[in-house]
Structure formats: C-alpha cells, structure tokens
Amino acid sequence: MILAISCTLIGVNAQSEEKIEMFSYSINTTGPVWLEYNCQQTACQGMELIVNNSGLIHKNSDPHTVEWEGMVEGNISWQLLVEEDISEELIEFDSIISNEVWSEKRDLPDIVPSPSEQEDFEEIETFSQCQMNRCQSNDFEAEGVFFTGALESLNDKDAIRIVGNEGDVLLLPNFRSSSEMEIEIWMRNDEIKERIESLNSGHDTEYFFEYPEGELWLRVIASVETEYSTYEFKIVRYDANRESLDLRELTNPWTHGDALAFNDTYHGHISASDTEGDSILIELGSKMEIKPICHFSNDFMMDIIIHEINSIEIKYLENISSCPEIINSTYLTNSIEFRIKSNITQPWSIKINTDSYGDGKNIGDAPDFIWQPGTRDGRWELVDSEMGEYSGNLGIQDYIDIFAFEITHENGSKVYFNDTEGEVSFKILVLNQTSGAIINSTDQSEIIVPQGIHAIRIEKNNSSSDIVNYRFRAPEIREYQIENRELEDLSRLFTNFYIIAGVMFLTPMIIVIWWNRNTIFKGDKNNIQIEQHELIMLNRLKDRIVKKIDKEIILSSLHQLGDSPWDSVIQEWGKPTLRHMTENLEICLWKISNLDILLGIKINRHAWNLAAIRIYSSEGELVRIDTITPEKIFQEDEIYLDSLKPKSNIFLKIALKNKPTNMNFQISGMVNGEPVAASSNKTVDWEEE
C-alpha cells in the first residue's frame, strides 16, 4: 500500500475561495475502506470531504462529522476542506484501510458451515513466533494479522476460519467497525458446532482464548440496520507446539536442556486445558540476591525451585500467587526454575534482576574454598588474560574468593600480578595436581608455577563485615626456561665447617644436661610427686570432656582446666593439632573427633576487649559450628569471646555440624585501645589428623 500525504493551506478553486484544503491523501489498495473526520468543537463550518475512488467523485458536507466508505480497487484520494478559521487540532481523523493481503476479496459465508460440509473455505494463518525471548518489544506490535472486511446490509454476515491446533493460545486485541457490530467466536468439528464467546465492536482490550478441539471460526454480524459497514480485527496465534527455544511445547518441569541466559525477559502463554503448565529454567549463581519481575493477566499458581550442583533441587517457594520481591540463592546454586499453572488462558512474562551480578565474568559469588582434585566446575572461573579486567567484592560473611588459572607450558611458567586494586590481599597458590594440596604460595611477587590448574586467593585485609570491592587483571605468565648446566660436588670444601657447626649445636645440650644432672641422674622426688598429682587430675578431666557425659560435668571440667597450669594441660592433652604463640597470647587447638575440638587460649600481660575468634577452612565446605561449651555467642564459623583478662586461661569445647577439609583460626580484638589480629601460620589437613 502506497500512501502519499500532503497538508496545505491553499485555495481549492475559484468557486470555493472561502474554504481551504486542510488535508490531502492518496493511496493504492484493494478492499474495503472507511474514512471519517470529526469536529472536536460545537461545529466546524464548511467542513467537506471530497473522495476520488478511481475517477468516481463523492462529496460529503457536515459541520460535525463527514465520512465515506466503500470498496476500492486501485487508487483512492481524498481532501478535507474547511473554512480558514478552523485549526487542525480541532479535527479528529479515523479510518479502516485494507492492507491488500488480508482483506475480504469475495463475499464470505454468512454462517459457520455445518459439521458435514467440507469445502475449500477461506482461512487466516496468523502464527506468531514471539514467545520466550525470540522477539524484541517493538516486534510485538507487528505480530499477527489485521483482517479487513465489510457487511453490505443488515442481513450480510461474514464467517472465516482461523488456522491452528488444539491447545494454541489466540489473542484478539481489538475489533473496530464503522457502525456497531459483534464478532462471534465459534468451534466446529466433525460432530457439532457451537458459539464460544461474543465481543462488541470498540473492543480494545487484549482477549486471550484457547484454540478449541476441531476448527476455530470468527463470525462478524451487524448490531444495527445499515446499508454498508466496514470492520477490522487483529488476530494473533501462539503455537503450543513451538513455545520453547527448541520448538517444542514447554514442559513442567523443564526438559529443554541448558538453563536460559540470566539477563533477559521470557514470554509465554498458558492455556486453561494445560494441566501440566509451563516452566522456565534461568541460569543463576552462588549466593545472589535477585529481584524477579513477573507479569500475569489473571490468577496463577507458581513453584520456585533452586537447582544446585550435582542435580540437587530445593523447593524455595510452593503454590504462590505472586512473585516474591527478593530471592536469595544458596552457595551451590547454578539455576532457578519457575513452574507455572493456571486455570485461565493467559500470557506471562518473567525476568530476574540483581544489583550485583557477582565476582569475575561469571554470575554469582566466587567460591571461598579450593576445589578437590578432579572436581573443579564452572563455579571456579578460569581467568584469561584475553578477557580483560576482572572485578568483584567481599561482603557480609564473605572473606575469601577463589579463582583458577592454568599453566600450559610443560616446564612451568613464571607468574606474577601486574595490575590489582582493592583493600584485599592477592595470593597465587601452587597446587599439587594429584592431591590438591598447596605446595607453594606467594603474594604479588613472582613465583615459578608448574604445568596444571592452580588457584588465586583473594582475601580481606581485616575481618570487617563491610563490602570491599576489588579488581585485577589475569596474572602475567612468562615461559620458564631450565638452564642445562652440569653440577659439580663441592661438599669437600665444607668439611671443616661441618665439624665446627656440629660442636656449636652440641654445646648447648651439654650445658643443659649439666644443669639438670641431679634431676636426670639422681632424681627429684618432690617435683615428680607434684607432676604426677597434676597429671592424674588432668587425665580425669580429659576423660570427662572426651566421653561427652553430663553437660554440667563438662562445664565444670573446662573451668578446672582453665585454673590448671598451662604447660601441664599441654603435657596431658599431647601435642596440639594447631598452635600459635605471640608475645601476649598463646592458642592451642586439639582434635577430639572429626566433629569435636578443644580450644585453649592463654592471655599473658594485657587484657583483650571485644575479642572474637574465627575457625575456618581454606578449602572445601565452610566450617559450621553446632554448639559451644561453655555457651558463647557465635554465627557460622565465628565466636564472640568478649573480654579476656590478663594472665588467664580459657578452654572451649566446640561441636561442629560438618567435617571440614582443613582447619585454621584467626583471632581479633582490642588491646590497649588498639585493634589487634592474629592468625595461625599453619593450615592442618583435618582428614589426616
């Protein structure tokens, strides 16, 4: 259809000098056309519509409304004339113009054919592919078909078949006509035909309905007596068998492969007869806070399922009738599923937003532990120098992020950080490729790393719960060349040094033996008796604590341990699993069982205020505390100790919820008004202890 528009203010001819041409149009089309101009004030004097339909001139004058309608085959042009004092803003234009492709070419049947009739009836194919994320927002306006027709009298009616299949969802967004009409929705199959619904002209709200069993017909009838009336309706069909991205019917639960991309809006349509419903699976990351945006036109029921690593499903919410404002994913989450059901045919759309997409290039929080050998998956992002800059943050209860990098050269490579930013520490961890153990590490200085996949550890510089942002580029990796040089044995040059060093190392031992000669060779009965008495008492206390007897007895035993000499406790309990000493404190940790530990803290000269200790695992699952005796305030892996008096000992029995991979601790607090923190410089493999 070609449309030429002009708007001029020139005289039409000498016979109508008092009028001006306000609008002038010319189009080429085939089918029914209706034109109407309305005056928006009391009257528009001199308003006249002149229509030229393939050489036939039609004129219509009226101060309120002028209109024309009829069948067009070829070119039609028209002019609107008004008096000079009438402005364009006072004139309202409305029209129905055939689009040539979908219009009434010949008179349609007056009624929906009976079930027995089998003819080549005219039909409309109105399939739309705008489901899921296959269309942009502006594509939705162009989908479907506009059909134009005309009723030549009150007795004339038009019926037309709509192509489709049972279960398809159809949309009738509007129905317009030059005079009052109705559009009826009919079902026809091999046995019966019946009317399903009826809508009046002027209908401009979206009406969704389901394709029936058999055939779908639309029938247009006049509501008032008229000689000729033009109508137009839009119809859209959403194929139930081509809903998903793999062009199948959406299933519930999801069976369409990988999760959909995170940052997109997904559209669908559910029919009342679809008892299983629809579902969509969208990718999601670890420990994310998301805000779902859901749109439904009617009542619905929905389940939200969190999908975790190793195909574990968690029912987050069930049978809800509105979208939650916030959803928090677990630390093992890799996707989220929305399962939808409804007894009403309607459209739906779902999108999820977040204020923080996560760490690195992936969505979600980076893990805070190192993978076990052979188990690294997409949670541990493999940084790549070609991917540019990486960024992330460490927030509340988030102290560590772990990334991975790969060395491909068989002789290893020299690795170092060249571009980092943030109040965090960056460490390169060299891993044993068989056991997964950390065999070497460095901060931002250069280190030689063997072939394989190794770890980057990013950690807060303090135990603050404030959010700390960081950024970095992938470590610089340079090839390491091994120099092939012959080695010479020069040990003969150091013989005299070995003799002198041996004498120096043995001399202190000889002095100690001389000072303790009476105890060693003659014996000191009093000291032995005191030591034996202490050991007997401490042995009883140890039995009470280890055997998990009455809580009050354990509590009393721990208090007695605190009053006992520190060195005697260590002698009875044996070598601590973890031990850390500074000028002002000493911390010892003993492993009672895989899920029970004894923690001892000795304070020397200065008191500690606002003290807290964190027991954590640098690899594997987060340490989770179950109970503490005596009772202390704790959260996850952190214990609040409050004030610790000088020259005092405190012992805690700690029960864990889970078995850690390894164990470490960090203590912080205020000493003499200054913040102080200390952590063990050794990590113990818990399974080997």
Side-chain angles (χ1 to χ4, degrees):
M1 180 174 66
I2 302 173
L3 176 64
I5 303 174
S6 64
C7 177
T8 59
L9 295 174
I10 60 174
V12 178
N13 52 47
Q15 296 178 345
S16 56
E17 294 179 355
E18 72 280 3
K19 293 184 180 181
I20 61 171
E21 181 185 83
M22 179 171 287
F23 300 109
S24 177
Y25 295 87
S26 178
I27 63 171
N28 287 305
T29 188
T30 299
V33 172
W34 169 63
L35 309 172
E36 181 184 74
Y37 287 93
N38 284 296
C39 178
Q40 298 301 299
Q41 63 180 10
T42 305
C44 296
Q45 298 300 327
M47 186 165 64
E48 181 179 13
L49 176 64
I50 303 174
V51 178
N52 184 344
N53 182 12
S54 299
L56 297 176
I57 306 299
H58 305 270
K59 295 184 178 181
N60 187 353
S61 299
D62 189 90
H64 306 293
T65 300
V66 290
E67 64 176 337
W68 178 90
E69 59 184 330
M71 184 65 68
V72 176
E73 293 184 3
N75 179 265
I76 180 175
S77 60
W78 67 92
Q79 299 169 300
L80 182 70
L81 307 181
V82 294
E83 292 186 354
E84 291 187 4
D85 58 346
I86 305 299
S87 66
E88 293 182 25
E89 290 76 15
L90 297 176
I91 306 298
E92 183 183 68
F93 176 62
D94 196 6
S95 67
I96 296 175
I97 299 175
S98 296
N99 62 11
E100 296 191 46
V101 178
W102 294 107
S103 63
E104 185 180 9
K105 304 295 191 303
R106 54 189 174 88
D107 191 32
L108 296 172
D110 289 340
I111 62 173
V112 176
S114 62
S116 60
E117 291 186 58
Q118 298 296 330
E119 296 182 17
D120 186 16
F121 299 111
E122 189 168 346
E123 60 186 13
I124 298 175
E125 170 56 84
T126 178
F127 165 71
S128 171
Q129 66 172 359
C130 292
Q131 300 201 85
M132 300 301 282
N133 62 341
R134 286 192 289 259
C135 289
Q136 301 298 324
S137 58
N138 55 346
D139 294 331
F140 290 101
E141 298 179 3
E143 65 177 345
V145 166
F146 280 95
F147 184 85
T148 307
L151 301 182
E152 297 181 358
S153 67
L154 179 62
N155 296 324
D156 187 20
K157 301 171 181 60
D158 286 348
I160 189 167
R161 183 169 60 189
I162 308 298
V163 175
N165 299 293
E166 182 182 359
D168 292 350
V169 174
L170 290 103
L171 166 63
L172 193 65
N174 56 53
F175 171 47
R176 303 168 57 239
S177 61
S178 60
S179 61
E180 294 183 20
M181 295 186 187
E182 291 182 30
I183 185 168
E184 299 175 338
I185 302 172
W186 285 75
M187 180 274 290
R188 172 183 181 265
N189 57 30
D190 294 338
E191 298 178 355
I192 62 170
K193 69 173 184 178
E194 64 177 352
R195 191 177 71 170
I196 301 172
E197 185 59 86
S198 178
L199 302 173
N200 294 322
S201 59
H203 165 77
D204 58 358
T205 58
E206 294 186 335
Y207 178 71
F208 288 89
F209 60 101
E210 185 176 356
Y211 200 98
E213 180 183 358
E215 296 177 350
L216 173 68
W217 285 73
L218 298 181
R219 182 171 180 252
V220 180
I221 62 175
S223 300
V224 295
E225 186 173 354
T226 181
E227 294 183 357
Y228 190 95
S229 296
T230 307
Y231 64 84
E232 176 188 71
F233 63 82
K234 182 179 181 180
I235 185 76
V236 187
R237 179 176 67 89
Y238 302 99
D239 194 329
N241 295 318
R242 288 188 279 182
E243 287 181 295
S244 65
L245 294 182
D246 57 354
L247 300 180
R248 295 191 292 127
E249 181 180 4
L250 275 178
T251 59
N252 185 359
W254 177 267
T255 60
H256 304 279
D258 295 338
L260 303 170
F262 177 81
N263 194 19
D264 211 337
T265 302
Y266 297 95
H267 303 267
H269 303 82
I270 188 169
S271 61
S273 65
D274 186 358
T275 56
E276 290 185 357
D278 293 344
S279 72
I280 57 169
L281 183 70
I282 303 175
E283 65 175 342
L284 194 60
S286 170
K287 294 190 287 188
M288 292 183 68
E289 181 180 274
I290 61 172
K291 301 173 183 178
I293 301 173
C294 305
H295 291 292
F296 293 85
S297 61
N298 275 293
D299 296 337
F300 68 96
M301 297 298 290
M302 182 164 63
D303 297 341
I304 297 178
I305 311 297
I306 296 290
H307 289 253
E308 293 191 335
I309 302 296
N310 300 326
S311 302
I312 296 174
E313 294 184 5
I314 298 176
K315 293 184 178 180
Y316 189 85
L317 291 170
E318 292 185 274
N319 297 326
I320 59 174
S321 57
S322 63
C323 255
E325 293 184 2
I326 292 176
I327 296 175
N328 291 294
S329 67
T330 65
Y331 78 101
L332 291 175
T333 298
N334 62 6
S335 59
I336 183 170
E337 183 178 4
F338 297 84
R339 297 176 179 174
I340 308 161
K341 290 186 178 182
S342 176
N343 295 323
I344 303 172
T345 300
Q346 61 176 308
W348 56 261
S349 70
I350 294 176
K351 179 180 182 179
I352 51 178
N353 286 334
T354 182
D355 295 330
S356 176
Y357 284 89
D359 303 320
K361 304 295 183 183
N362 294 343
I363 61 171
D365 182 54
D368 55 5
F369 58 94
I370 299 174
W371 59 92
Q372 295 298 313
T375 63
R376 189 185 72 84
D377 52 44
R379 289 176 294 168
W380 291 275
E381 185 172 358
L382 192 67
V383 300
D384 186 346
S385 59
E386 296 182 358
M387 294 298 292
E389 188 176 278
Y390 291 80
S391 62
N393 63 74
L394 295 168
I396 300 173
Q397 297 297 320
D398 186 14
Y399 301 96
I400 298 170
D401 282 346
I402 301 292
F403 292 84
F405 71 97
E406 185 174 14
I407 300 298
T408 57
H409 197 273
E410 61 181 358
N411 292 328
S413 299
K414 295 180 179 179
V415 181
Y416 63 94
F417 277 109
N418 191 34
D419 186 6
T420 61
E421 184 179 303
E423 295 182 4
V424 296
S425 63
F426 292 86
K427 288 187 177 181
I428 295 172
L429 306 181
V430 181
L431 306 181
N432 183 302
Q433 299 300 296
T434 302
S435 66
I438 300 172
I439 57 177
N440 201 357
S441 66
T442 183
D443 48 19
Q444 299 186 41
S445 58
E446 186 176 81
I447 187 173
I448 298 173
V449 182
Q451 186 180 25
I453 296 179
H454 305 274
I456 298 171
R457 177 187 172 100
I458 303 172
E459 185 173 7
K460 280 184 180 179
N461 288 335
N462 53 58
S463 58
S464 169
S465 61
D466 295 336
I467 295 177
V468 177
N469 296 312
Y470 63 82
R471 69 158 195 87
F472 67 96
R473 290 186 179 273
E476 298 287 341
I477 299 176
R478 295 187 302 168
E479 185 177 336
Y480 173 63
Q481 296 291 344
I482 300 176
E483 298 182 6
N484 295 321
R485 295 187 300 175
E486 293 185 3
L487 301 179
E488 181 182 357
D489 184 5
L490 300 177
S491 61
R492 65 184 184 279
L493 302 178
F494 295 89
T495 302
N496 294 334
F497 169 77
Y498 294 149
I499 295 172
I500 296 172
V503 172
M504 291 177 62
F505 285 131
L506 292 173
T507 300
M509 184 183 70
I510 295 171
I511 295 173
V512 171
I513 292 174
W514 174 257
W515 284 345
N516 294 278
R517 61 188 182 279
N518 291 331
T519 302
I520 296 173
F521 300 109
K522 298 180 181 180
D524 191 332
K525 295 182 179 179
N526 291 332
N527 288 340
I528 292 173
Q529 290 176 356
I530 294 172
E531 184 177 342
Q532 287 177 343
H533 173 73
E534 290 176 351
L535 292 177
I536 291 171
M537 180 192 70
L538 290 172
N539 187 52
R540 291 175 181 172
L541 296 178
K542 181 178 180 181
D543 288 341
R544 293 176 183 175
I545 294 171
V546 171
K547 291 180 180 179
K548 299 183 180 179
I549 54 181
D550 184 79
K551 181 179 178 181
E552 294 298 327
I553 297 177
I554 294 176
L555 188 62
S556 174
S557 300
L558 290 170
H559 283 303
Q560 291 181 56
L561 275 185
D563 296 333
S564 302
W566 180 260
D567 293 336
S568 299
V569 175
I570 294 176
Q571 182 177 348
E572 173 58 28
W573 279 80
K575 181 182 177 182
T577 307
L578 268 177
R579 189 174 188 178
H580 182 74
M581 292 182 289
T582 66
E583 182 181 359
N584 193 40
L585 89 161
E586 182 175 348
I587 303 175
C588 291
L589 185 148
W590 289 273
K591 178 179 178 181
I592 300 175
S593 68
N594 284 332
L595 297 176
D596 293 287
I597 60 177
L598 178 69
L599 179 69
I601 303 174
K602 177 186 178 183
I603 303 299
N604 294 331
R605 292 181 299 172
H606 302 293
W608 284 61
N609 295 313
L610 301 176
I613 189 166
R614 178 172 172 245
I615 300 172
Y616 65 93
S617 173
S618 60
E619 303 176 15
E621 191 177 356
L622 181 73
V623 174
R624 290 181 172 83
I625 297 173
D626 189 11
T627 60
I628 300 175
T629 308
E631 293 183 352
K632 296 288 183 181
I633 298 173
F634 68 91
Q635 182 176 9
E636 294 289 352
D637 60 356
E638 193 166 4
I639 306 168
Y640 181 60
L641 301 174
D642 198 8
S643 298
L644 301 177
K645 297 179 181 180
K647 297 182 179 180
S648 65
N649 303 335
I650 180 174
F651 288 88
L652 303 175
K653 183 183 180 184
I654 302 171
L656 306 178
K657 291 182 179 180
N658 60 316
K659 177 183 175 182
T661 304
N662 56 36
M663 185 71 74
N664 208 331
F665 59 74
Q666 181 185 53
I667 188 169
S668 61
M670 303 289 290
V671 178
N672 294 330
E674 297 291 333
V676 176
S679 62
S680 60
N681 53 13
K682 176 185 176 184
T683 299
V684 175
D685 192 329
W686 202 247
E687 296 180 353
E688 295 181 0
E689 288 297 318

